[in-house]
Amino acid sequence: MSAIIPDQAEGLRRMFSRSLVRTVTFAAGGTSRRHSALVGDVAVALARRGLNVCVVEQGASVKGAAFRLGLDFRHDLAEFIRRDRRLEEVMLTGPEGVRFVHAETAGRLLGSLPLEEESRLTEAFAQLQPRVDVLVLDAPSTPAEGVAPWAIASSEIVVVASAAPDGITEAYGLIKRLSRDAARRRFHIVVTGASAEDHARAVYDSLAATARRFLSVGVAWLGWIPEDPEMVKAVRLHQAVSSAFPSSPAAIAVGAVADTLLCWPYAGEDCLDGFVHRLVQASRTSSSNNARVN
């Protein structure tokens, strides 16, 4: 299967003249950054399947997906917005050519971004070479860090739910907040740390039923990541599990998540200009709401 995926991806790129891009936010409830390791793993898995992937990290902590892969941010996207550096200069390049951008400070500037600067930001991302096929957003873990604007802008949201006892409660709380603040009606679930697929499915079924009953939102199964010591070793080695231990259960599971994500239909003719415009507009709305509250 994986041998033919690069040809399929290249064929998709040739088919669409407007450079369609998938924009996917990965988020988790609670205050941990446990979903960040999965973000890095999925990004590398997608790149190994022929996609050009860019990961945007939004949280205040620099110990996100890039850090898990041995990269150290020295710049923020805000430096590009302020015209201090070129976009390429604030990016890091990781395994399989995955590009990473830290945008914690930039996130606070987007709400007041003038129209000409919005166009400049859009054009800079659109002109990246190789062009971006998938933009993955590593969301902050707490409401105070402002998930909502990025969630509104993304085409899809993946909620990473732990199979631990508090996992369902934390994931449900996140879905409830996003359905309320970002008006999202559809989510995807990845269950992590399960002992078996039946265990992961039980977590998903409970979460999906509760969200459907009390929030009237749809929750789709994206996959599960087993409790695998090789995953822990990969994090300690600052490598993607598919690179360090390609035959491990966790690597196989991450690959299955990437393959499923590749099969999602595009959300209309969604390009980088549409994403950036939605992000800036959502940030402006968020800034206005915060100003009224304060």
Side-chain angles (χ1 to χ4, degrees):
M1 176 69 177
S2 60
I4 65 173
I5 290 293
D7 291 336
Q8 293 173 341
E10 183 59 32
L12 285 172
R13 281 196 289 271
R14 287 195 299 267
M15 284 174 59
F16 298 112
S17 59
R18 289 196 63 216
S19 302
L20 295 185
V21 61
R22 297 185 189 277
T23 53
V24 186
T25 291
F26 278 73
T31 58
S32 73
R33 296 284 301 182
R34 59 178 170 238
H35 66 288
S36 293
L38 181 59
V39 168
D41 281 319
V42 171
V44 170
L46 289 169
R48 291 169 70 94
R49 285 155 171 74
L51 280 296
N52 297 316
V53 184
C54 179
V55 176
V56 179
E57 298 193 16
Q58 311 152 230
S61 170
V62 295
K63 295 185 178 180
F67 176 81
R68 302 296 178 94
L69 294 175
L71 303 175
D72 184 17
F73 282 119
R74 299 186 182 278
H75 304 290
D76 189 281
L77 183 60
E79 295 175 56
F80 168 79
I81 293 174
R82 293 167 176 157
R83 297 179 179 262
D84 295 329
R85 295 182 183 275
R86 295 182 298 110
L87 181 57
E88 292 82 356
E89 291 178 318
V90 303
M91 284 184 160
L92 299 175
T93 301
E96 303 294 336
V98 176
R99 287 165 286 186
F100 293 85
V101 183
H102 193 230
E104 187 261 329
T105 303
R108 297 197 293 267
L109 301 178
L110 292 174
S112 58
L113 201 65
L115 183 59
E116 61 271 18
E117 292 302 314
E118 176 185 335
S119 299
R120 175 172 166 266
L121 179 62
T122 301
E123 184 177 358
F125 270 101
Q127 290 182 351
L128 285 172
Q129 293 298 325
R131 79 188 196 193
V132 176
D133 297 314
V134 184
L135 192 66
V136 180
L137 299 131
D138 182 4
S141 299
T142 63
E145 293 181 88
V147 168
W150 299 86
I152 291 171
S154 295
S155 298
E156 308 289 348
I157 297 178
V158 176
V159 174
V160 181
S162 169
D166 60 350
I168 295 177
T169 302
E170 291 180 348
Y172 176 78
L174 177 62
I175 292 172
K176 181 178 180 180
R177 178 161 54 86
L178 290 177
S179 66
R180 179 195 65 206
D181 297 344
R184 299 307 295 248
R185 313 309 300 168
R186 180 181 66 189
F187 301 87
H188 304 271
I189 296 293
V190 174
V191 179
T192 61
S195 57
E197 184 171 359
D198 287 348
H199 180 197
R201 287 279 186 177
V203 172
Y204 162 75
D205 289 342
S206 177
L207 183 58
T210 304
R212 183 170 57 250
R213 178 180 178 185
F214 294 104
L215 304 177
S216 298
V217 301
V219 177
W221 170 262
L222 178 55
W224 73 292
I225 309 299
E227 188 174 5
D228 185 352
E230 305 287 30
M231 186 80 153
V232 177
K233 291 178 184 177
V235 171
R236 290 174 180 168
L237 292 170
H238 294 290
Q239 295 183 36
V241 69
S242 58
S243 300
F245 307 103
S247 299
S248 65
I252 294 170
V254 168
V257 168
D259 288 339
T260 302
L261 193 154
L262 275 174
C263 294
W264 288 345
Y266 281 88
E269 294 191 12
D270 200 11
C271 304
L272 278 171
D273 55 351
F275 169 77
V276 174
H277 179 70
R278 292 194 302 272
L279 176 59
V280 172
Q281 292 303 314
S283 299
R284 287 173 181 158
T285 301
S286 179
S287 295
S288 298
N289 291 340
N290 290 338
R292 284 197 293 269
V293 170
N294 296 330

